[in-house]
Each structure stands twice: as C-alpha cells, then as structure tokens.
Amino acid sequence: WRSSTFSPGTFQEPSRYEQLEMALLHLQSDHASISMQLGRAHRDRDAARRETAEVRAELRQELEAARAAAAAEAAEMRALLDASRDSAPSATALAPASAT
C-alpha cells in the first residue's frame, strides 16, 4: 500500500490504484471479521443443537418413566377392582329371603 504523495504545503489525492488498494484492504478486513462471526455463529448453533438433543432425550426418558408408572398404577387399580368384585356378595345373595 503506497502512501499519498506529500509535499510541504500540498496534498495530492490518492490515485485510482491507491483508492482501489485501500478498498481491497477494507474488504479483506471485513471478510475476516465476517468469517470469524460466521464461525462463532456455527459453533453457537451446533452447541444449541446438542443442548436441544440432550433436553429431548431427558424429556423422552421422563415421559417413558411417567408412562410406565401410569401403566403400573392402572394395572394395580384393575387388580384391586377385580379382587373387590370377586369378594363382593352377589346381588341375589343380598336380596331378602322372602319377597312375599
């Protein structure tokens, strides 16, 4: 990158070549900055995906545990209901002996 010509008391505008050279340096700097930001964004996205997958796995395990507990409770209730039916006196046994 060449500097503009300086003479005591005078200033010469940068040449078209120098202007393009400065623009190129700015673009290269912007490109490097954008590339770093993009890299960070990709890492953040990947971390978020991993975290989401972990949370989904935990929720899936909790759901399966809740389903298993509900199924066990339902089976227990059915067993209690069946046992109470088996031990309950029948309707005919509860009827009065003489209905006349």
Side-chain angles (χ1 to χ4, degrees), residues 73-90:
E73 188 175 351
E76 184 180 339
M77 292 295 168
R78 276 193 296 277
L80 289 173
L81 183 60
D82 290 345
S84 69
R85 280 190 197 139
D86 293 343
S87 66
S90 67

Side-chain angles (χ1 to χ4, degrees), residues 21-67:
E21 206 171 38
M22 286 187 286
L24 177 60
L25 288 174
H26 285 292
L27 286 174
Q28 288 171 334
S29 174
D30 290 348
H31 178 266
S33 175
I34 290 169
S35 292
M36 287 191 312
Q37 291 172 1
L38 185 59
R40 274 194 299 273
H42 282 290
R43 286 189 298 278
D44 291 348
R45 179 206 57 204
D46 294 343
R49 283 181 176 169
R50 281 190 301 275
E51 186 177 341
T52 299
E54 290 169 4
V55 169
R56 281 185 180 153
E58 289 172 12
L59 290 174
R60 201 173 297 117
Q61 288 174 346
E62 290 177 20
L63 178 60
E64 289 303 316
R67 283 181 179 158

Side-chain angles (χ1 to χ4, degrees), residues 7-29:
S7 298
T10 64
F11 173 76
Q12 184 178 347
E13 286 290 322
S15 69
R16 182 74 180 137
Y17 175 82
E18 289 171 325
Q19 291 173 354
L20 291 173
E21 206 171 38
M22 286 187 286
L24 177 60
L25 288 174
H26 285 292
L27 286 174
Q28 288 171 334
S29 174

